[in-house]
Amino acid sequence: MTVDLAVRLRDVVGPAGVVDDPAGMSGYLTDWRHAYSGTAAAVVRPGSTAEVAAVVALCRGSGVAVVPQGGNTGLCGGAVPDSSGRQVVLSLTRMRRIRDLDAANQTVTVEAGAVLRSVQEAAAAAGQLFPLSLGAEGSCTVGGNLATNAGGTGVLRYGTMRDLTLGLEVVLPDGRVWNGLRGLRKDNTGYDLKQLFIGAEGTLGVITAAVLKLYPAVRSRTTAWVALPDPRSAVDLLGVLRAHAGDRLTGFELMSRQSVDFVLRHVPGARDPIAGVHPWYALVELSDTLDDAGLDAVVESGLAEAFERGAAVDAVVAAGAAQAAALWALREGVSEAQNREGPSLKHDVTVPVSRIPEFLERTRRALADAVPGIRVVTYGHVGDGNLHHNLSKPVGGDDDAFRARAPELSRVVYDVTHALDGSISAEHGLGQSKRDVVVDYKDALDLDLMRGIKQLFDAPGLMNPGKVLPD
Amino acid sequence: MTVDLAVRLRDVVGPAGVVDDPAGMSGYLTDWRHAYSGTAAAVVRPGSTAEVAAVVALCRGSGVAVVPQGGNTGLCGGAVPDSSGRQVVLSLTRMRRIRDLDAANQTVTVEAGAVLRSVQEAAAAAGQLFPLSLGAEGSCTVGGNLATNAGGTGVLRYGTMRDLTLGLEVVLPDGRVWNGLRGLRKDNTGYDLKQLFIGAEGTLGVITAAVLKLYPAVRSRTTAWVALPDPRSAVDLLGVLRAHAGDRLTGFELMSRQSVDFVLRHVPGARDPIAGVHPWYALVELSDTLDDAGLDAVVESGLAEAFERGAAVDAVVAAGAAQAAALWALREGVSEAQNREGPSLKHDVTVPVSRIPEFLERTRRALADAVPGIRVVTYGHVGDGNLHHNLSKPVGGDDDAFRARAPELSRVVYDVTHALDGSISAEHGLGQSKRDVVVDYKDALDLDLMRGIKQLFDAPGLMNPGKVLPD
C-alpha cells in the first residue's frame, strides 16, 4: 500500500481506524477456526457508511483490493485476505448500532457490524423475536449473516437470513452508496436488487446496514428426543409432525448414533436421554406465542402416530427448560466433540428432504469403500434437507494420511449430492474453500451469468477477489 | 413479421400454435379489465420449454420483440403488446402441467401456464396447502404470479410469490435455457439468480416453470369482523392479535366505511355484520393445522384486550363457514362495487405498517382539498402495510372530468407514499402504467443498476420492451 493511500485512509477513519502493525492485524488475518490465514496491507475499521464509502473509493482509486469482514467466524474463508499482503481488510465491527426498532412494523434496522446476539436481545427487549440462531451467534455479525445468507436451526419455520431481510444499505465497489433500506413487505417497483448482495459474500459490495423482520415472542416451548430406526423414519416423522403441529414445529434436528457417541465421550456431563443404542435420533422442538399452548399434547399425539407407523421407536419429552437445554447441548456439542477425534472433514450439503435417505445410504457406502472404518458424523436440519456430513478417520488412523484424502472424499459426498439435485453448500457459502470445486457442480450458464453480474458491479475485480467466483 | 419468420415459428410450435388472425388474437391483445390494448404480428403458443426457447431465439434473430403473457389478468398492462403490430405475444397458457409434487419435500413443480387455482387444488389433493390467494386465482397463471411477485391476502403469514419460490426454469432473452429448477430450502453456491426474474415482469426472460413451497393443510379457521374507531386502532389490533395468536393470524384486512357502503349498495345480499356506522373495519382470520385448535377462544381473548385498550369498539365472530364466507364476500366485493360508482382511480401502495395512520390522514386531507367530495375507497392488507386506495368521483360528478385529473390525484397519493418511505407499487408491478412515474420515486442509482442488469440480460432490448424500465 502506498504511503499516500495509508495517509488518506487515516484521514477518513482516523488514526485508530487503521491498523497496520502485525500484532494488531493478526486477529483479522485468520478465521476463528484457524483454517485460513492471509496477510494484509492494513485493516481499516470505518465507523459509518460514509466512511466505508470513502475507504472503498480510495482503495478502488489506488487499485487496492478490499476484503469485507464481520465477526470472522465464517467456515469457508470468505472474509480472510489472500497472502499477497496487498489487500485491505475492511472490518465492519465498529458499525454495530441498532439504528431503529419499529415494533408496529415488526422490523429492526441494524448496522452490519452488530453481533447477531445483540439483535436477538434488542428484539426480545421489545417483546419480539429475531429468529436467526446459530452456533456463532455470540460473535458473528449481521453483515456476515447477510453475506453468507446464514441459516441455522430456525430455518424450518423462519427461513434463512434472506427470508428475514426487507432492506439493505450497500456500498458498491465504486464507492457509491445504494440505499435500499426500506421496511416494506411488498415492493414491486422493479428488480429486487437487494437479493444480489445477500449471499454474495462481499463480492458485489459492502453491506453496511439492513432492515430485518421481527416475529412475535415465543412464550411456550416443548422439546423431545426421539429414537429412530432409520433415516427414512426421520423424513416420515417430520411429515407427521408438520402436518400435525404446523408452524409450531420450529426445530427438527437429526443426529446419527456416531454423533451422539462422540458427544457422550467428550462432553462432560452429557447423558444419553434414551436407554439402548439406536442408529438415529431426532431432536424436536415445538414453540408457540401462547403461554399455555398445550404443546406437550400436540407433540405426544404426533409421536403416537409416528409410533404406530413405526417411524419412531422411543421418545422422551423434556420435563422442563433444564432437560430441554440438556437435549440441545447434545446437538450443539457434536462439532467440538468430533474435533477431539482428529481432523474433521466437513461437508454442508442440501438435498430435497425426500432424498435424504438415499443420500445417506449412497454416501455412507461409498465412503466406507474408500476408507474402511471411516466414521461418518451426520447431523443437521432435516426440514431444510440440510445435513452436516463430517468425516473422522478410522480408530487409530493417521491424521495426515486422512487429511490428504480430503479432496477425494469430498468428491464422493459432492457427487452424490449433485446426482440428487442437491447443493454442495447449504448455509456456509463458497468463500475460498469451495469456489474451485463448485465449477464441477454448477451449470456453465450459472457461472456465465454470475461472472456477468460481477463484471457489471465490479469491473476491476477489487471487491473480495478470489472468493465465490471460480477463476 | 416476415413470412419467413412466420413459417419458422409454425415449424417450431405447429400450425395451431401460431395465431395471427385478428379474431383469434383479440383475446391476447387486451387485458381483462380492458384498460390496455395493443396489436401484434402474431400470438405464439408454445407447448414446451424447448419450444419457448426456439421461439425466443427465432424472434431475437429477426429483431422481433417478445411479450410474455399468462392469464392476462395483470393490472398494469405488463403483458399487453404495444400498438406497433410488430411484437409477438408469447402465451404460456399451453404449458400448464403440474410436473411433480414431492410431498415429503413439500414442493410442487409446475409450468408457468398453470392456473393458480389448479396449483392450489393439486396441493390440496396431496393434503397440503399452496397459500398464494388472490382475486384472479381462477384465471391468473403461476408465470404471471412470478413475473409480478404476486401478493394477495395470505402474505401476512406466508409471504409473496417470491417467498414461496424455491426454483425457476427460465428462457433467457438470447434463447438459452437457465435451469434453476431445484427444490432446495438452502443453497449458498453463489448469486441467487432466480431472484432477478421474480418481479421482473418478463423483461429479463421468460419463466417457463417453477418449484414452489407447500405448507401443511389448514384444518380449522375462525373469522371475525371488528369495528374500529380509527386507522391507528387497526395497527394496534394487528399488534395485539399477532403477539397473541402468532402464526395463527393468517388474514387481517382493513376496510373503510366507504368501502362497506359501496358493497352494501351494489352487492346483492350483502348485509352489514355490525349495527351502527363505524369509520373502519378489520376482517380478521385465524387458521390452524389442528382440527380442534380453540381458535375462537384465541381470537376472543385477543379482542378482549383490544376492547380494553379502545382499539376495537364492536366485533362479531363468524358462527360457521357460511358466516365467514359472507364476511369475506364484503371484502372481495369492494372492487366491483366501486366500479358501479363510475371510474375508479386505483392505487396499490405500501408504507411501513406503523405509518398507515399518517398515510391515510395526509392523503385523505390532500385529496379532499384537490377534489371536494371525492370518495376515497381504502381497503387492503394492514399486516403488509399494503393499502388499495382507490378514488371515486364526488356524487353527481362527471366521469371524464374526474378521469382527466387522474395523474394529478395519483401524484398526491404517491408523494405522500414516498415521503413515508413507501412503495408506489405493492403487488401489481409497474408494467406500462407506472414505469414513467416511478422515475420520480426511485433513486437514480436504482434505475442505473436496473438498466445495467437489463443490458446484461437483454442487450437488444427485445424482451417485453416498454415495460418496467423507464425510457
Side-chain angles (χ1 to χ4, degrees):
Chain A
M1 182 164 71
T2 63
V3 174
D4 175 57
L5 176 59
V7 169
R8 292 165 72 188
L9 287 173
R10 282 191 166 79
D11 289 345
V12 169
V13 298
V18 176
V19 181
D20 52 10
D21 63 296
M25 288 199 294
S26 61
Y28 300 89
L29 304 181
T30 303
D31 65 310
W32 73 287
R33 281 197 306 154
H34 299 283
Y36 303 92
S37 277
T39 59
V43 175
V44 182
R45 304 181 63 233
S48 69
T49 302
E51 287 184 12
V52 172
V55 167
V56 168
L58 278 174
C59 291
R60 165 98 155 214
S62 305
V64 171
V66 170
V67 180
Q69 186 180 95
N72 204 6
T73 60
L75 296 171
C76 298
V80 177
D82 68 15
S83 55
S84 69
R86 291 193 303 271
Q87 300 184 321
V88 164
V89 173
L90 178 62
S91 170
L92 278 299
T93 47
R94 275 178 67 205
M95 289 182 63
R96 51 176 62 228
R97 278 194 310 132
I98 308 286
R99 288 188 189 170
D100 179 54
L101 190 148
D102 184 338
N105 196 43
Q106 294 204 292
T107 51
V108 61
T109 305
V110 301
E111 294 184 336
V115 170
L116 173 53
R117 180 165 291 150
S118 71
V119 179
Q120 296 167 339
E121 289 169 350
Q128 304 207 358
L129 170 74
F130 182 65
L132 190 76
S133 177
L134 48 109
E137 63 194 27
S139 45
C140 65
T141 64
V142 166
N145 299 147
L146 287 159
T148 57
N149 184 26
T153 56
V155 173
L156 173 66
R157 160 63 190 98
Y158 298 100
T160 65
M161 191 62 167
R162 183 185 304 280
D163 302 305
L164 298 172
T165 304
L166 293 178
L168 289 183
E169 176 186 81
V170 180
V171 172
L172 300 180
D174 61 12
R176 290 184 295 179
V177 178
W178 178 69
N179 177 11
L181 214 51
R182 283 177 292 277
L184 303 175
R185 282 169 176 76
K186 291 179 179 171
D187 178 12
N188 286 338
T189 55
Y191 310 153
D192 191 355
L193 298 171
K194 69 175 178 291
Q195 303 291 350
L196 281 171
F197 303 105
I198 299 171
E201 301 183 52
T203 61
L204 298 178
V206 184
I207 295 169
T208 50
V211 182
L212 305 174
K213 289 184 197 169
L214 299 178
Y215 286 82
V218 164
R219 294 205 190 76
S220 55
R221 187 175 269 114
T222 288
T223 309
W225 181 264
V226 188
L228 309 169
D230 51 45
R232 192 166 305 282
S233 299
V235 175
D236 195 11
L237 176 62
L238 173 73
V240 168
L241 289 175
R242 276 201 78 165
H244 208 74
D247 296 319
R248 297 171 185 81
L249 184 63
T250 47
F252 193 102
E253 298 289 303
L254 181 70
M255 287 178 72
S256 66
R257 179 70 207 186
Q258 182 70 80
S259 314
V260 175
D261 282 339
F262 279 179
V263 173
L264 295 176
R265 184 178 309 160
H266 296 295
V267 175
R271 285 184 46 259
D272 198 337
I274 290 178
V277 172
H278 304 280
W280 295 92
Y281 300 91
L283 174 60
V284 173
E285 180 189 84
L286 273 62
S287 60
D288 202 304
T289 53
L290 295 177
D291 295 310
D292 179 14
L295 294 179
D296 285 5
V298 174
V299 76
E300 279 156 13
S301 60
L303 286 173
E305 183 177 339
F307 285 128
E308 268 176 39
R309 300 162 63 137
V313 295
D314 200 354
V316 291
V317 176
Q323 278 188 27
L327 295 177
W328 274 103
L330 292 173
R331 164 64 177 84
E332 285 150 4
V334 178
S335 184
E336 269 310 296
Q338 186 172 15
N339 292 339
R340 307 281 298 279
E341 297 280 335
S344 166
L345 310 184
K346 296 185 184 300
H347 305 95
D348 166 50
V349 303
T350 35
V351 293
V353 173
S354 51
R355 309 190 82 169
I356 286 175
E358 184 180 358
F359 168 82
L360 291 172
E361 188 186 334
R362 287 172 61 172
T363 51
R364 287 164 163 264
R365 198 187 315 114
L367 290 165
D369 291 346
V371 180
I374 191 169
R375 295 171 297 173
V376 181
V377 175
T378 304
Y379 60 101
H381 323 294
V382 176
D384 315 327
N386 178 193
L387 298 177
H388 302 300
H389 204 54
N390 301 341
L391 314 179
S392 290
K393 65 184 181 184
V395 175
D398 175 72
D399 286 358
D400 295 335
F402 187 64
R403 257 193 220 97
R405 301 194 59 179
E408 167 201 354
L409 297 175
S410 292
R411 286 272 165 206
V412 170
V413 175
Y414 294 153
D415 287 352
V416 174
T417 302
H418 188 63
L420 299 176
D421 300 323
S423 165
I424 68 163
S425 184
E427 56 182 6
H428 297 168
L430 296 175
Q432 48 183 287
S433 67
K434 295 181 178 177
R435 76 181 185 112
D436 294 321
V437 71
V438 81
V439 177
D440 302 326
Y441 302 108
K442 247 178 145 56
D443 292 349
L445 180 51
D446 284 77
L447 296 171
D448 185 16
L449 295 174
M450 281 171 59
R451 290 193 177 99
I453 289 164
K454 173 69 173 178
Q455 180 69 22
L456 175 65
F457 281 82
D458 181 28
L462 294 174
M463 189 55 68
N464 210 13
K467 314 292 167 61
V468 182
L469 294 152
D471 286 330
Chain B
M1 181 165 69
T2 63
V3 174
D4 175 56
L5 177 59
V7 170
R8 292 166 71 189
L9 287 175
R10 280 190 167 78
D11 289 345
V12 169
V13 298
V18 177
V19 181
D20 52 11
D21 62 295
M25 288 199 296
S26 62
Y28 300 89
L29 304 180
T30 303
D31 66 311
W32 73 287
R33 282 197 305 155
H34 299 284
Y36 303 92
S37 277
T39 59
V43 175
V44 182
R45 304 181 62 233
S48 69
T49 301
E51 287 184 12
V52 172
V55 167
V56 168
L58 279 174
C59 291
R60 165 98 155 214
S62 305
V64 170
V66 170
V67 180
Q69 185 180 94
N72 204 6
T73 60
L75 296 171
C76 298
V80 177
D82 67 14
S83 56
S84 68
R86 291 194 303 271
Q87 299 184 323
V88 164
V89 172
L90 179 62
S91 170
L92 279 299
T93 47
R94 275 179 67 205
M95 290 182 62
R96 51 175 63 231
R97 279 194 309 133
I98 307 286
R99 288 188 188 170
D100 178 56
L101 190 148
D102 183 339
N105 196 44
Q106 294 205 294
T107 51
V108 61
T109 305
V110 302
E111 294 184 337
V115 170
L116 174 53
R117 180 166 291 149
S118 71
V119 179
Q120 296 167 339
E121 289 168 350
Q128 305 208 358
L129 170 73
F130 182 65
L132 191 77
S133 178
L134 48 108
E137 62 193 26
S139 44
C140 66
T141 63
V142 166
N145 298 148
L146 287 159
T148 57
N149 184 25
T153 55
V155 174
L156 173 66
R157 161 63 191 98
Y158 298 101
T160 65
M161 192 60 167
R162 183 185 303 280
D163 301 305
L164 298 172
T165 305
L166 293 178
L168 290 183
E169 176 186 79
V170 180
V171 173
L172 301 180
D174 60 11
R176 289 184 295 179
V177 178
W178 178 70
N179 177 11
L181 213 52
R182 282 176 294 276
L184 303 175
R185 282 170 174 76
K186 291 179 178 171
D187 178 12
N188 287 337
T189 55
Y191 310 153
D192 191 355
L193 299 170
K194 70 175 178 291
Q195 303 291 351
L196 281 171
F197 303 104
I198 300 171
E201 301 184 52
T203 60
L204 299 179
V206 183
I207 295 169
T208 50
V211 182
L212 305 175
K213 289 184 199 170
L214 299 177
Y215 286 82
V218 164
R219 294 204 190 77
S220 56
R221 187 176 269 113
T222 288
T223 310
W225 181 265
V226 188
L228 309 169
D230 51 44
R232 192 167 305 282
S233 299
V235 175
D236 195 10
L237 176 63
L238 173 73
V240 168
L241 289 175
R242 277 199 77 165
H244 209 73
D247 297 319
R248 297 170 184 82
L249 183 64
T250 48
F252 193 102
E253 298 290 303
L254 182 70
M255 288 177 71
S256 66
R257 180 69 208 187
Q258 182 69 80
S259 315
V260 176
D261 283 338
F262 279 179
V263 173
L264 294 176
R265 184 178 309 161
H266 297 294
V267 175
R271 286 183 47 259
D272 198 337
I274 290 177
V277 171
H278 304 279
W280 295 93
Y281 300 90
L283 174 60
V284 174
E285 180 189 86
L286 273 62
S287 60
D288 202 305
T289 53
L290 295 178
D291 295 310
D292 179 12
L295 293 179
D296 285 6
V298 174
V299 75
E300 279 156 12
S301 60
L303 287 172
E305 184 177 338
F307 285 128
E308 268 175 38
R309 300 163 62 140
V313 294
D314 200 354
V316 291
V317 177
Q323 279 189 28
L327 295 177
W328 274 103
L330 292 173
R331 164 65 177 84
E332 284 150 4
V334 177
S335 183
E336 270 309 297
Q338 186 172 15
N339 293 338
R340 306 282 300 279
E341 296 280 335
S344 166
L345 310 184
K346 296 186 185 299
H347 305 95
D348 166 49
V349 303
T350 36
V351 294
V353 173
S354 52
R355 310 190 81 169
I356 285 175
E358 184 180 358
F359 168 82
L360 291 172
E361 188 187 334
R362 287 173 61 173
T363 51
R364 286 165 163 264
R365 198 185 319 115
L367 291 164
D369 290 348
V371 180
I374 191 170
R375 295 171 298 172
V376 182
V377 174
T378 303
Y379 59 101
H381 323 294
V382 177
D384 316 326
N386 179 193
L387 297 177
H388 302 300
H389 204 55
N390 301 340
L391 313 180
S392 291
K393 65 184 181 183
V395 174
D398 176 71
D399 286 359
D400 294 335
F402 188 64
R403 255 193 221 95
R405 300 193 59 179
E408 166 202 352
L409 297 174
S410 292
R411 285 273 166 206
V412 170
V413 175
Y414 294 153
D415 286 351
V416 174
T417 302
H418 188 63
L420 298 176
D421 299 322
S423 166
I424 68 163
S425 185
E427 56 182 8
H428 297 167
L430 296 175
Q432 48 183 286
S433 68
K434 295 183 181 177
R435 76 180 185 113
D436 294 321
V437 70
V438 80
V439 177
D440 301 326
Y441 302 107
K442 249 178 142 59
D443 292 350
L445 180 52
D446 283 79
L447 297 170
D448 185 16
L449 295 174
M450 282 172 58
R451 290 193 176 100
I453 289 163
K454 173 69 173 178
Q455 179 68 22
L456 176 65
F457 281 82
D458 181 29
L462 293 173
M463 188 55 68
N464 210 13
K467 315 292 167 58
V468 182
L469 294 152
D471 287 330

